[in-house]
Amino acid sequence: MHRSRARGSGSAATLVVCFLAVTTCLAYLLSTRPVNAGPLFFEEATAEKRQLSKSMDAQVYRAHIDVANEIQGDFEDILDSPDLDSCQMCQQGMGLAKKLSLQAPDMVPGVLKTLCAKYSFKRLDACAGLMERLAPQLTAIFSEMNLTSSDGYYACAYSFPGSCPVPLHQPKPIEFPKPKPANAQQPAPSGETIQVLHFSDWHLDPLYKPGSEALCSHNICCRDYGRWNDPGPLKKPASKWGDGRCDTPIALGLSALEAIQKFVPSASFGIFTGDIASHDSWMITEKYIAEEETRSYELFKKYLQDLKLYVAMGNHDSYPSDQAPGRQRPNSYITHKWLYDHVAGIWEKNNWITSVEAEYARSHNAMFMTRPMLGLKLITLNTDLWYIRNFYTMLDTDQDDPSGLFHDLILELQDSEDKNERVWIMGHMAPITRALPRSSLIFQKVVARYSPHVIAGIFMGHFHQDKFIVVHDPDAPEQNEKSAVNMVYQGPSITPLDRSNPAIRWYDIDAKTFSVLNTHTVVADIIGQAAYWEAHDMEPEWNHEYSAREIYSDPELPLAPEEPLSPAFWHRAVERMKQDRVLFEKYLKFESKISADAKPCERGSVCEMEALCQMEASTVIQNQACTAEAIAARGGDVALKKPNKKEPYGVTRAGKVIRVEVYDEQRGFRADESMVRRDLWAPGKRRLVTRKV
């Protein structure tokens, strides 16, 4: 069996490391060497320096150059230190990054590009391009970071997994407006049914070029990268219908919209759970993002016509990718307000939301509340506010809810409870694997408080796969049918990137309770059939892949026709998969949307354990613990893995392995009593020094 790979923002987090903590390039950099970046790159860098020097006082410019050179040297000393583990390196790198941002902010882009050129760190063009786009915001973030509190440590632990142990921080108890009603129950079925459309992760690539290289070294292929094209003969020509290593060509996008018309012609409304733009984070501009949003929403409106479509922002819908400052920092929020104004205006123009809802979205990270039907409230969330690759989450880490997202969510849920109203929550990324652990704990507690009587369902995307997650009550003594309180339905993607076929989904919904009665997935086998369709001048064939009710129903506990797919139903399905390999293999097939190129997932493998854990773990911490326990139970080794290109942390360049036992679980580093630290730099030296007591 195969399992497709999850997708975030590609290599964004990896590339950013060279600035946020060059010190945390760690093990990856210890095995690297300078590369020949090519004359064009250095010509461009030199031209930038000349332009900068003309616009700045010569004496100030020289002083900034000196600061940048000194800090680059300090970075090197940290990387070479035999006395520092990866977490110490990372935190001290944070201090240097802040120093550079405060003392020579204009030098940040040049320093980042120099680091890209010096180390063979991913592709030079991708690294340099991403650094240029992130530099202004990273400069501002580090200038505001409070390194005397937990900001620096949390930045390392959450944004660069493995550099520092993730603190298992429990949020403060939540003070809900009212206690949960006694014997809160899901409303009785009505026997009436409607259909609701769900599609996600559009990722339209306007630069897709049929016939170009589909097996390239870039983050996405099927493009003409000019001088950055891979050398040598063409290995695989890109089909006009798409490829598993490429984002969505316009031909595939239009085919998907036509399939929606064919399979879901009578939907009452639709939801799109984010990610309009392509994955080329190192090449995008504000104008590119704005145009992608405009043109894509125009296409949605053209094909869906009068169908109301409700949209949640994805991590690739912002510029730079993944970044979303919370409104608690107005000076940072204003840098993204153009985007929120832009998308809210389009949604209002398309008659998807009202002017009042659009105005709310403009001032709340493109989040809004609406009522698609009488008795149902839809709450949209901007999940970048809990995403570990959103570097604004490095700020205000001493607060549980700095952006106010959960405060607003609780007020809206309480309002619906008071009105005896049902609620759907939709966003882009479920807070299970790539979210701030503290945020995932809060989300679980909020969902448990307002389930099952208020929240009828939670709908997400992001991972490009067809998945589901059972949310359990965190206060339950054990996970079972009774502790299962709600469901996260993760919609499949339109993009075939990550070798999983494009798909759309619709739900059969109880027209009064708005509970999910069934899910249906429709798929086109681009991975296996695209070349054949193109060779025979055929259109993609979209087929009904499966019905969840038919596949996952327990033969010994059949559901009545009007009975919904409850959290208990899904919990039983997960338990059966642990024993029934045939059923589990069906899940894996559907997860990748019948992709023949999906990653193998063999019996007893870590892949199998992760898949099962992700179905039943309600938080980041539960997911990690579940996977570790499963591996240990099967006699596996859960010790820190050796670093590689995708996980470049855990061992310092000097080869010192991090010692987890000297870290406080809640707040971070607890100093080894055998060491006394002086100031960061010894007088007259660059190298950090320590002395024995």
Side-chain angles (χ1 to χ4, degrees), residues 41 112-113 116 123-133:
F41 176 82
L112 298 179
K113 289 186 177 182
C116 287
R123 294 185 57 102
L124 176 60
D125 56 332
C127 183
L130 192 59
M131 293 302 100
E132 181 179 4
R133 284 152 179 78

Side-chain angles (χ1 to χ4, degrees), residues 299-350:
L299 285 173
F300 294 174
K301 181 64 176 178
K302 177 181 178 181
Y303 279 81
L304 302 181
Q305 299 179 358
D306 294 332
L307 182 73
K308 293 271 190 178
L309 183 69
Y310 302 105
V311 178
M313 294 287 281
N315 58 301
H316 285 281
D317 293 328
S318 59
Y319 176 85
S321 295
D322 311 328
Q323 307 309 301
R327 64 186 189 278
Q328 84 278 10
R329 289 183 173 268
N331 291 338
S332 297
Y333 189 87
I334 196 67
T335 64
H336 278 61
K337 194 169 186 306
W338 69 268
L339 174 64
Y340 305 140
D341 288 345
H342 178 66
V343 295
I346 296 174
W347 300 340
E348 180 184 359
K349 177 183 176 183
N350 286 349

Side-chain angles (χ1 to χ4, degrees), residues 195-216:
Q195 291 183 335
V196 175
L197 166 69
H198 182 187
F199 66 113
S200 192
D201 294 84
W202 171 253
H203 291 296
L204 183 68
D205 186 359
L207 301 180
Y208 188 100
K209 184 179 179 181
S212 60
E213 181 59 75
L215 293 175
C216 72

Side-chain angles (χ1 to χ4, degrees), residues 196 269-272 308-312 352-353 357 367-373 375-381 412 416 421-427 457-459:
V196 175
F269 63 91
I271 57 175
F272 174 74
K308 293 271 190 178
L309 183 69
Y310 302 105
V311 178
W352 295 340
I353 60 176
E357 292 160 355
M367 298 183 286
F368 61 89
M369 285 70 65
T370 189
R371 288 178 170 82
M373 300 182 68
L376 175 66
K377 178 191 288 183
L378 178 65
I379 301 174
T380 67
L381 302 178
E412 290 297 329
S416 293
E421 184 178 52
R422 295 284 272 170
V423 170
W424 280 13
I425 297 173
M426 64 175 284
I458 305 164
F459 305 88

Side-chain angles (χ1 to χ4, degrees), residues 620-688:
V620 171
I621 294 173
Q622 286 181 349
N623 182 56
Q624 293 174 343
C626 173
T627 303
E629 289 173 7
I631 294 174
R634 302 194 185 191
D637 182 8
V638 295
L640 192 65
K641 298 177 182 179
K642 293 183 178 180
N644 56 50
K645 290 184 179 181
K646 291 186 177 180
E647 300 175 73
Y649 318 111
V651 181
T652 70
R653 186 159 120 177
K656 184 176 180 182
V657 179
I658 188 169
R659 294 178 297 157
V660 177
E661 68 273 10
V662 301
Y663 287 83
D664 184 283
E665 283 187 338
Q666 300 298 319
R667 290 295 179 184
F669 182 65
R670 182 174 68 249
D672 186 336
E673 294 180 358
S674 67
M675 282 288 196
V676 173
R677 301 195 173 277
R678 296 179 182 173
D679 292 336
L680 182 61
W681 308 114
K685 296 182 179 180
R686 274 189 188 156
R687 194 172 301 278
L688 183 145

Side-chain angles (χ1 to χ4, degrees), residues 339-630:
L339 174 64
Y340 305 140
D341 288 345
H342 178 66
V343 295
I346 296 174
W347 300 340
E348 180 184 359
K349 177 183 176 183
N350 286 349
N351 197 33
W352 295 340
I353 60 176
T354 67
S355 59
V356 173
E357 292 160 355
E359 192 58 35
Y360 185 93
R362 291 184 176 97
S363 60
H364 289 76
N365 297 94
M367 298 183 286
F368 61 89
M369 285 70 65
T370 189
R371 288 178 170 82
M373 300 182 68
L374 183 64
L376 175 66
K377 178 191 288 183
L378 178 65
I379 301 174
T380 67
L381 302 178
N382 186 332
T383 58
D384 278 353
L385 295 174
W386 63 48
Y387 191 27
I388 60 173
R389 291 176 179 172
N390 173 15
F391 298 111
Y392 286 100
T393 62
M394 296 177 184
L395 304 174
D396 306 312
T397 57
D398 58 335
Q399 301 176 40
D400 288 340
D401 183 26
S403 70
L405 180 151
F406 293 112
H407 172 270
D408 295 347
L409 176 61
I410 289 171
L411 291 182
E412 290 297 329
L413 290 170
Q414 186 60 56
D415 172 68
S416 293
E417 183 180 76
D418 293 342
K419 294 177 179 177
N420 197 27
E421 184 178 52
R422 295 284 272 170
V423 170
W424 280 13
I425 297 173
M426 64 175 284
H428 181 60
M429 181 190 64
I432 305 300
T433 58
R434 295 176 181 172
L436 296 172
R438 181 163 42 178
S439 294
S440 72
L441 290 168
I442 296 173
F443 185 76
Q444 181 193 34
K445 290 177 181 293
V446 172
V447 170
R449 160 62 183 84
Y450 292 97
S451 296
H453 59 303
V454 178
I455 303 174
I458 305 164
F459 305 88
M460 302 282 177
H462 182 67
F463 290 96
H464 297 190
Q465 300 164 333
D466 188 336
K467 300 163 72 80
F468 66 84
I469 302 166
V470 183
V471 181
H472 288 269
D473 185 344
D475 297 325
E478 62 179 357
Q479 289 191 353
N480 51 37
E481 290 184 31
K482 292 183 179 179
S483 70
V485 294
N486 222 300
M487 288 299 302
V488 176
Y489 293 96
Q490 294 188 173
S493 65
I494 298 296
T495 181
L497 188 65
D498 292 325
R499 307 177 189 180
S500 61
N501 281 310
I504 58 176
R505 178 190 284 172
W506 82 84
Y507 303 98
D508 295 331
I509 301 295
D510 187 299
K512 300 299 181 183
T513 69
F514 303 101
S515 298
V516 176
L517 301 173
N518 202 359
T519 79
H520 302 267
T521 301
V522 172
V523 65
D525 186 12
I526 294 296
I527 303 300
Q529 299 293 323
Y532 178 85
W533 292 332
E534 184 171 9
H536 292 80
D537 197 25
M538 297 171 60
E539 297 282 323
E541 296 178 3
W542 292 82
N543 297 299
H544 183 266
E545 183 186 22
Y546 78 100
S547 151
R549 197 178 186 94
E550 294 176 4
I551 295 298
Y552 298 115
S553 287
D554 187 344
E556 297 181 3
L557 293 171
L559 296 177
E562 71 280 1
E563 194 174 349
L565 303 185
S566 66
F569 166 91
W570 287 108
H571 174 80
R572 290 194 297 270
V574 175
E575 292 302 309
R576 287 169 55 222
M577 283 186 225
K578 294 177 182 178
Q579 307 300 325
D580 186 343
R581 181 69 188 183
V582 173
L583 181 62
F584 180 62
E585 288 183 350
K586 287 181 180 179
Y587 170 81
L588 293 178
K589 181 178 73 171
F590 299 145
E591 183 187 58
S592 69
K593 298 163 285 183
I594 62 170
S595 170
D597 284 353
K599 180 181 177 181
C601 193
E602 305 298 336
R603 183 189 294 272
S605 66
V606 173
C607 168
E608 179 188 59
M609 301 172 201
E610 289 177 341
L612 290 168
C613 286
Q614 288 174 12
M615 284 186 262
E616 62 181 354
S618 305
T619 68
V620 171
I621 294 173
Q622 286 181 349
N623 182 56
Q624 293 174 343
C626 173
T627 303
E629 289 173 7

